[in-house]
Amino acid sequence: DNWEKNSQILGWLLRAWSTRDRIHEFVSLFFIIERIIPKKLPIANINKWQEKRQKVLTLVKKHANPEELQEITDFVKGMKNRISLPNRFESWAAHIMLPGWREDIIAFELLNEKRSKLINVIKLRIKLRDVLGPGDVRILENIAIRYIRFALFGQVKYYRK
């Protein structure tokens, strides 16, 4: 199973490197990062989220109509904390602490905003050249390669392009 996942990641990396389309390369690199972040991470904000959910439950119990109480309570209890990709990356980067990890987190958040713009490009009618700057793909590629090396091979050293 691990070999299959690793081969898929390397396949996506080859696709990213072989394209001349910087948008395709950019999206491929994001896909790779999503795949290499471990599923189970120590997430710092999970306790805060659970506290807020408990406050909502308390308010529901206090103010809901008795005939709706169970339905609303079940709904709130069923709510899951959907941790964003930048938060997952931040937790992983802080946990493994590769050299430059703080800068990686900042860059990744900015690049993720650009990815969101790309996803909404048709709706917003933004010209593609206005979304990605010339160095954005290179920055994301450097981040992806460093974390791929760690995730797949346990290697930390990497010399940036």
Side-chain angles (χ1 to χ4, degrees):
D1 185 45
N2 210 20
W3 280 105
E4 186 176 320
K5 179 183 173 184
N6 292 352
S7 65
Q8 288 174 352
I9 289 167
L10 292 173
W12 274 95
L13 186 59
L14 289 173
R15 275 188 211 127
W17 283 343
S18 65
T19 185
R20 291 177 189 239
D21 180 356
R22 70 178 177 185
I23 294 167
H24 181 82
E25 182 178 5
F26 188 81
V27 172
S28 295
L29 292 169
F30 259 99
F31 179 78
I32 294 166
I33 291 173
E34 283 182 292
R35 296 279 296 146
I36 63 173
I37 296 174
K39 299 255 186 251
K40 295 186 179 188
L41 288 170
I43 306 295
N45 295 331
I46 192 77
N47 290 336
K48 289 180 187 176
W49 185 87
Q50 289 172 339
E51 288 171 15
K52 288 179 183 178
R53 184 173 71 167
Q54 190 57 48
K55 286 179 183 178
V56 170
L57 281 170
T58 302
L59 288 170
V60 165
K61 288 177 184 176
K62 187 175 180 180
H63 298 290
N65 294 330
E67 53 275 353
E68 295 178 324
L69 179 62
Q70 189 61 48
E71 182 182 350
I72 296 171
T73 301
D74 290 345
F75 175 77
V76 173
K77 284 182 178 179
M79 291 169 53
K80 302 280 188 235
N81 184 8
R82 305 235 187 266
I83 300 166
S84 69
L85 178 60
N87 286 343
R88 289 177 49 227
F89 179 80
E90 179 180 357
S91 294
W92 188 43
H95 181 70
I96 62 176
M97 297 172 63
L98 295 181
W101 66 273
R102 285 186 178 94
E103 293 82 8
D104 292 342
I105 291 169
I106 293 167
F108 191 81
E109 283 185 27
L110 294 172
L111 294 168
N112 188 64
E113 289 174 18
K114 292 184 182 215
R115 181 179 84 144
S116 295
K117 286 181 182 177
L118 282 174
I119 291 170
N120 295 314
V121 73
I122 295 172
K123 292 180 197 173
L124 300 175
R125 290 178 170 46
I126 297 173
K127 294 180 182 174
L128 291 177
R129 68 176 178 271
D130 295 337
V131 176
L132 286 180
D136 292 336
V137 174
R138 183 67 57 223
I139 293 167
L140 184 60
E141 181 181 25
N142 283 326
I143 291 171
I145 291 170
R146 291 174 60 238
Y147 288 84
I148 290 168
R149 287 175 57 96
F150 179 82
L152 271 55
F153 309 112
Q155 297 177 346
V156 175
K157 275 193 172 180
Y158 172 70
Y159 300 99
R160 295 177 188 247
K161 288 185 179 180

